[in-house]
Amino acid sequence: MSKTVIIGGVAGGATAAARLRRRDESMEIVMLEKGEYISFANCGLPYYIGDVIHSRESLLLQTPEGMKKKFNIDVRICQEAAAVRPEENIVTVRNLKTGETYEENYDNLIIATGSSPLKPGIPGIDGSRIFTIWNIADTDRIKEFMEKEKPESAAVIGGGFIGLEMAENLHRAGLSLSVIEMQKQVMAPLDYEMARLLHENMEMNGVELILEDGVKQFCQKENQVELLLASGKTIRTDMVILSIGVRPNSRLASEAGLTLNARGGILVNEFLQTSVPNIYAAGDVIEVEQLVSGERTMIPLAGPANKQARICADNIAGDRKRYEGSLGTSAAQCFDLTAAAVGLNEKTLLASGRIKGRDYHTILIQQKSHAGYYPGAYPLTLKLLFDPDSRILGAQIVGQEGVDKRIDTIASVMRLSGTTDDLAKLELAYAPPFSSAKDPVNMAGFTAENVQKGLVSFLGVQELESIQADEKKRDDCQILDVTEAAERLVFAVPGSVHIPLGELRERMEELDPGKLIIPYCSVGVRSYNAARILMQSGFKRVKVLEGGTTFYKSYHYKNYRMAEAMEKTMRERNDKQEKRVLELDCSGLQCPGPIMKVNETLRDMEEGERLCVAATDLGFARDISAWCSRTGNTMAASEKDGKQIRVTIEKGNGEKGSGKAAETGCSVREDRNPPAEQEGKTIIVFDGDLDKVLAAFIIANGAAAMGRPVTMFFTFWGLNALRRPDKVKVKKPFLDRMFDMMMPRGTGKLKLSNMNMGGMGTRLMKKVMRDKNVSSLEELMKQAMAQGVRLVACTMSMDVMGITREELIDGVELAGVASYLGDAELSNVNLFV
């Protein structure tokens, strides 16, 4: 009968023991664990601190008694393996309760000693209010401290997986938080621009994020800890969590003469044997092969540890299974965002000497977690790295929902040696609550195919930043905004020119074919279409800004928020007499719905009163900040509340036109540098198609919500949108009656300009609008008039088409071209729809 001794429990040791018993009923199996627990959910410890997991017992996956009863395994807790003598197949064991030592022989040995948190020699690091979190004992100490001392603040040192999970859960427990990270970003597996999404989200949740700074000294100050940082900054807090990194627990292996790498990881072969063939090793303590690069590295993750332990057990049982390496697939929750990664990141590729565009490509796309028209669709940002042969090198995803299944899908394709072409071919389950007909993974494959075929090239936000900072490069490019006028009122990339996508074919002469053209839109779809138009029209140098303005604003979030000003405003207001605070729920509303609702509500409020707005659009906080600065209101506070954005606005007290939104470069073609008093918007509604009238009212409402005077001049077929839905008895000449019979009567009868399909397309459009919480045309018209938008019917066109005053809805003005031109003179935007 053979005997196997396993040193260590938790992921590797317990898995190996159970697998060995299933493979060999007669084998003697001894597990040595120096702690009190042999198998616990160490990844769940932060969530127990935050009371997401309520029961401590839930963390204990297996007990010594259970292992003995179920698997007949001799489990010995509080028994430390003090030494290994490979030449004699002997382990010296110390009983930590009694202090006695004894020897245990073996035929095969598995070392699964794992890793321990780093605790560098910083002065004061052993203070009573400074904790690590790695096992049940650590968790018990933190829980006891929190229950006894009732801390109100905490500092987390380190922005890795455990650090961020602890930050989130301490925040959930009601503590104010500081996160301190020596590197310029949190979450090392992500590239910097992807990590910026987490930075923005953490700060929106009220976390003080300190990057590129480290702790120089800890000092006990009464009932607090004072942290002196390398920058000279000091922070006082009630408790500190250390999450600086881990080191392999390889002392035992080193003293036994086993071969280690420079970082202390045990070297193993493909069968997970150490330099001594009957000694195996698994988990955080070993060096493994990075499956993509083929390089040797350390990947301390629970998933690989469990698989390695199973292979060790199978090989001891007589198999010759190979461990082929790890992709490093990982995911972590950071407040209401999930961050996930697999394979190599761009930092690693650049460090290896690869050149972007030659040795590898990257794409960054913005998608939805499921069908956009189904409620609760949240944005996903997906970055994919691949080589010229379409081999996937790595991927990163950040989003609120659906991140885990997409990263798992990509990891599966990578493990099976699939390519970006295979991502495009995948047939994935689709229903509106779960995905889109073209899943984000498919879209990544489609986009990669376009890059490989030369149909599109992308420019990252960091590359654009470099161009904007270099005068020569800046003069050699044109940044092209292809969004609509209402969108540009809220935000525009500095220095950009504005040509909406629908006007691009007619206005191409405004662009220089010899320069690099960088089109952008909100997420990248319209800018890709713009790039295809330009590239097929002779423009040789076109690069789409990846991720659009949504990603651009998150990357530069510090420039497009007013946190410091908000804090100052809040402090100044705290000592003043309390004003009335109104609540406004804009959850689920599509742009520009929330802005319009805010504008409508504020109009009836008194100066100094506050409005607390809740919205589900993640970009709302940035957009409302721009709106406030353009309208002379004050954005007093902004915070995340679960998956909602909550913004507090104080009416007035702001300087109109002083904010970032007023500093974003060129406007539309009609007036590049309009005088300050020319802030009006005029729209000629000539067409009577439903979709075009909708667009006109959406733009009008957006402009009105920005506090701009708006005049809509309805002429010819556009007059039909103003007609009453019910038939009005009016005596008309024969030709007028003929017109009346052929023309639609009111908004309910308007048809789509394309895909009408005998009325089915129109009904489908209206249903989709309802499902996506987009206001109907009738609602948009009411909102426009409520906001003071002038609806003007052209009297000449009315006469030509036989439409009388009685047939028009209430609130419509009758005027001629001169009246319209008067308003146009006071406008800096004039649209023809």
Side-chain angles (χ1 to χ4, degrees):
M1 180 177 68
S2 65
K3 178 179 180 181
T4 297
V5 173
I6 301 171
I7 302 174
V10 196
T15 296
R19 179 64 175 175
L20 269 173
R21 176 56 70 223
R22 285 190 286 266
R23 290 297 304 269
D24 190 337
E25 179 64 25
S26 65
M27 180 181 289
E28 183 181 355
I29 303 171
V30 176
M31 182 190 296
L32 306 173
E33 169 56 53
K34 70 176 183 179
E36 296 184 33
Y37 307 97
I38 59 161
S39 182
F40 60 89
N42 52 354
C43 296
L45 300 180
Y47 299 98
Y48 175 57
I49 298 293
D51 281 331
V52 177
I53 298 173
H54 299 294
S55 171
R56 180 179 182 275
E57 302 306 312
S58 300
L59 300 171
L60 305 178
L61 306 180
Q62 192 57 267
T63 63
E65 296 77 19
M67 290 289 279
K68 179 66 177 178
K69 185 175 181 179
K70 292 180 181 178
F71 300 106
N72 190 28
I73 293 171
D74 183 3
V75 177
R76 305 173 191 176
I77 59 172
C78 301
Q79 312 255 341
E80 181 181 20
V84 175
R85 302 201 297 274
E87 66 281 358
E88 303 174 53
N89 290 347
I90 293 291
V91 179
T92 301
V93 185
R94 181 183 298 112
N95 187 319
L96 298 180
K97 289 185 176 180
T98 65
E100 65 176 315
T101 61
Y102 62 94
E103 294 182 343
E104 196 74 37
N105 68 298
Y106 62 84
D107 295 302
N108 291 287
L109 180 68
I110 299 177
I111 298 177
T113 46
S115 58
S116 297
L118 284 172
K119 201 171 182 181
I122 301 172
I125 200 168
D126 293 319
S128 60
R129 291 174 173 265
I130 301 173
F131 305 90
T132 58
I133 180 163
W134 199 247
N135 53 35
I136 295 291
D138 291 339
T139 309
D140 289 341
R141 282 192 289 269
I142 294 172
K143 269 285 192 181
E144 181 182 2
F145 176 84
M146 293 179 68
E147 290 171 2
K148 181 180 177 181
E149 300 293 334
K150 309 295 184 188
E152 296 181 356
S153 61
V156 175
I157 315 301
F161 288 98
I162 294 177
L164 294 189
E165 289 169 349
M166 276 303 300
E168 177 193 352
N169 282 281
L170 289 171
H171 183 271
R172 183 181 284 113
L175 280 70
S176 62
L177 244 325
S178 298
V179 174
I180 303 165
E181 168 58 56
M182 287 187 66
Q183 304 302 316
K184 71 174 185 177
Q185 68 170 82
V186 301
M187 200 67 73
L190 300 182
D191 285 314
Y192 178 68
E193 72 272 22
M194 296 292 284
R196 293 287 286 180
L197 299 172
L198 303 185
H199 298 171
E200 178 188 31
N201 187 256
M202 291 171 70
E203 295 197 21
M204 288 177 71
N205 277 282
V207 174
E208 180 187 22
L209 181 60
I210 302 172
L211 300 171
E212 298 184 89
D213 208 350
V215 180
K216 190 175 180 180
Q217 184 176 356
F218 296 99
C219 299
Q220 185 79 23
K221 297 284 185 177
E222 299 175 348
N223 291 326
Q224 286 192 312
V225 181
E226 184 177 86
L227 286 70
L228 174 61
L229 304 186
S231 63
K233 181 177 181 177
T234 60
I235 294 174
R236 293 192 68 161
T237 186
D238 295 335
M239 63 183 296
V240 175
I241 302 293
L242 299 175
S243 181
I244 300 172
V246 298
R247 56 174 176 78
N249 294 328
S250 56
R251 178 196 58 82
L252 190 65
S254 176
E255 293 176 355
L258 303 183
T259 305
L260 309 182
N261 66 11
R263 296 173 58 187
I266 301 174
L267 299 186
V268 294
N269 63 14
E270 58 190 329
F271 304 109
L272 299 176
Q273 294 169 298
T274 68
S275 52
V276 177
N278 69 331
I279 299 180
Y280 296 76
D284 293 3
V285 75
I286 70 169
E287 177 190 83
V288 299
E289 179 181 307
Q290 211 295 330
L291 194 59
V292 177
S293 67
E295 296 178 354
R296 307 294 294 183
T297 187
M298 308 288 291
I299 301 180
L301 293 171
N306 276 279
K307 296 171 183 65
Q308 294 156 13
R310 179 184 174 92
I311 290 174
C312 286
D314 285 344
N315 288 341
I316 289 172
D319 292 350
R320 293 290 284 171
K321 286 187 175 179
R322 292 177 169 83
Y323 183 70
E324 297 175 352
S326 174
L327 288 168
T329 311
S330 58
Q333 186 171 311
C334 180
F335 296 90
D336 50 310
L337 287 182
T338 301
V342 62
L344 305 178
N345 56 33
E346 193 167 2
K347 292 176 292 188
T348 304
L349 292 175
L350 290 172
S352 69
R354 297 201 185 206
I355 302 173
K356 185 174 181 179
R358 187 189 307 167
D359 292 328
Y360 73 95
H361 301 287
T362 70
I363 60 168
L364 189 150
I365 60 175
Q366 299 266 7
Q367 294 290 303
K368 295 287 188 182
S369 56
H370 58 243
Y373 58 82
Y374 188 87
Y378 293 101
L380 289 172
T381 303
L382 189 157
K383 180 175 182 178
L384 187 71
L385 302 94
F386 53 99
D387 68 16
D389 296 322
S390 299
R391 179 188 178 219
I392 305 170
L393 302 176
Q396 301 156 44
I397 310 177
V398 176
Q400 288 182 291
E401 288 185 2
V403 171
D404 52 342
K405 73 174 182 177
R406 271 66 186 224
I407 207 72
D408 286 344
T409 302
I410 295 173
S412 299
V413 172
M414 292 176 69
R415 172 60 71 170
L416 297 173
S417 301
T419 66
T420 57
D421 295 335
D422 294 307
L423 297 182
K425 295 174 185 175
L426 287 175
E427 186 176 340
L428 302 170
Y430 160 63
F434 309 115
S435 184
S436 300
K438 292 182 286 189
D439 188 86
V441 172
N442 296 136
M443 292 302 298
F446 297 151
T447 308
E449 179 185 7
N450 289 338
V451 170
Q452 294 285 50
K453 289 185 175 182
L455 297 177
V456 66
S457 292
F458 288 100
L459 187 85
V461 288
Q462 294 177 88
E463 295 172 278
L464 180 60
E465 208 172 44
S466 174
I467 289 173
Q468 291 174 317
D470 186 309
E471 184 177 353
K472 186 176 180 181
K473 291 180 180 178
R474 190 169 61 245
D475 291 342
D476 187 44
C477 79
Q478 285 183 295
I479 305 171
L480 174 61
D481 181 351
V482 297
T483 67
E484 297 303 317
E487 296 173 88
R488 191 170 173 87
L489 284 172
V490 173
F491 177 80
V493 174
S496 60
V497 296
H498 183 221
I499 305 177
L501 179 61
E503 302 176 21
L504 183 58
R505 291 180 176 87
E506 291 74 34
R507 295 177 57 185
M508 258 188 266
E509 72 280 357
E510 298 177 32
L511 301 174
D512 187 342
K515 291 186 176 183
L516 170 64
I517 309 298
I518 306 171
Y520 75 84
C521 62
S522 177
V523 297
V525 177
R526 285 172 291 175
S527 50
Y528 167 62
N529 290 329
R532 294 304 305 143
I533 292 170
L534 293 171
M535 292 171 72
Q536 294 178 87
S537 300
F539 287 78
K540 303 297 183 184
R541 300 166 60 207
V542 182
K543 289 193 173 185
V544 172
L545 179 62
E546 61 184 12
T549 56
T550 301
F551 189 75
Y552 182 92
K553 287 186 283 187
S554 287
Y555 182 85
H556 294 98
Y557 71 93
K558 287 184 180 292
N559 297 336
Y560 298 106
R561 67 183 178 91
M562 298 182 290
E564 292 78 15
M566 285 158 44
E567 290 171 7
K568 181 181 178 183
T569 301
M570 291 295 282
R571 286 195 300 269
E572 291 174 349
R573 304 282 195 276
N574 281 340
D575 298 329
K576 294 184 178 181
Q577 184 179 0
E578 284 193 18
K579 295 276 188 177
R580 183 174 61 130
V581 178
L582 299 182
E583 295 283 336
L584 178 63
D585 188 1
C586 295
S587 299
L589 289 182
Q590 299 288 339
C591 177
I595 296 282
M596 290 162 48
K597 285 284 188 183
V598 168
N599 184 68
E600 180 182 332
T601 306
L602 279 178
R603 191 173 58 236
D604 298 327
M605 294 172 60
E606 294 181 8
E607 191 89 1
E609 289 185 335
R610 292 188 175 187
L611 178 66
C612 184
V613 189
T616 49
D617 179 5
L618 287 175
F620 175 67
R622 289 188 299 262
D623 291 346
I624 196 65
S625 172
W627 181 87
C628 285
S629 67
R630 293 290 292 270
T631 57
N633 294 297
T634 303
M635 183 169 165
S638 174
E639 64 178 358
K640 290 298 294 297
D641 182 9
K643 293 181 180 178
Q644 282 188 331
I645 303 289
R646 295 189 67 84
V647 171
T648 301
I649 302 165
E650 184 171 313
K651 182 171 181 177
N653 295 315
E655 183 179 345
K656 189 173 181 181
S658 63
K660 285 287 179 183
E663 303 170 3
T664 52
C666 301
S667 184
V668 294
R669 172 178 53 176
E670 286 74 5
D671 195 345
R672 299 292 185 189
N673 296 290
E677 67 272 13
Q678 289 186 330
E679 295 183 336
K681 318 296 173 191
T682 51
I683 304 174
I684 301 174
V685 184
F686 170 83
D687 207 302
D689 292 326
L690 172 63
D691 41 347
K692 295 175 182 175
V693 178
L694 271 170
F697 272 99
I698 288 172
I699 294 170
N701 277 316
M706 298 295 292
R708 303 298 185 257
V710 181
T711 298
M712 301 181 72
F713 190 73
F714 293 80
T715 182
F716 286 97
W717 313 113
L719 288 168
N720 291 312
L722 301 181
R723 298 180 72 191
R724 294 179 181 274
D726 52 315
K727 190 172 182 178
V728 179
K729 291 184 177 181
V730 180
K731 289 185 177 182
K732 294 184 178 184
F734 174 74
L735 287 178
D736 289 356
R737 291 201 305 272
M738 291 296 293
F739 264 108
D740 187 64
M741 292 172 59
M742 293 185 290
M743 292 189 302
R745 185 180 292 114
T747 55
K749 298 295 184 179
L750 301 184
K751 309 297 184 188
L752 290 179
S753 58
N754 292 296
M755 299 190 307
N756 196 43
M757 299 178 292
M760 290 179 60
T762 304
R763 290 193 294 274
L764 178 61
M765 168 67 82
K766 291 180 178 179
K767 181 183 185 303
V768 170
M769 288 170 63
R770 287 194 300 272
D771 291 343
K772 297 181 73 171
N773 292 318
V774 177
S775 298
S776 68
L777 179 53
E778 292 79 7
E779 291 168 336
L780 288 170
M781 291 177 72
K782 290 178 182 178
Q783 292 165 1
M785 287 189 284
Q787 292 192 96
V789 174
R790 294 179 62 210
L791 306 187
V792 180
C794 174
T795 52
M796 182 274 293
S797 299
M798 289 175 61
D799 189 46
V800 169
M801 302 182 72
I803 298 175
T804 66
R805 177 68 186 87
E806 293 80 8
E807 294 178 273
L808 300 183
I809 60 174
D810 294 333
V812 175
E813 302 176 35
L814 304 186
V817 174
S819 175
Y820 152 72
L821 290 174
D823 285 341
E825 285 291 327
L826 297 176
S827 299
N828 61 359
V829 173
N830 184 29
L831 302 177
F832 188 92
V833 180

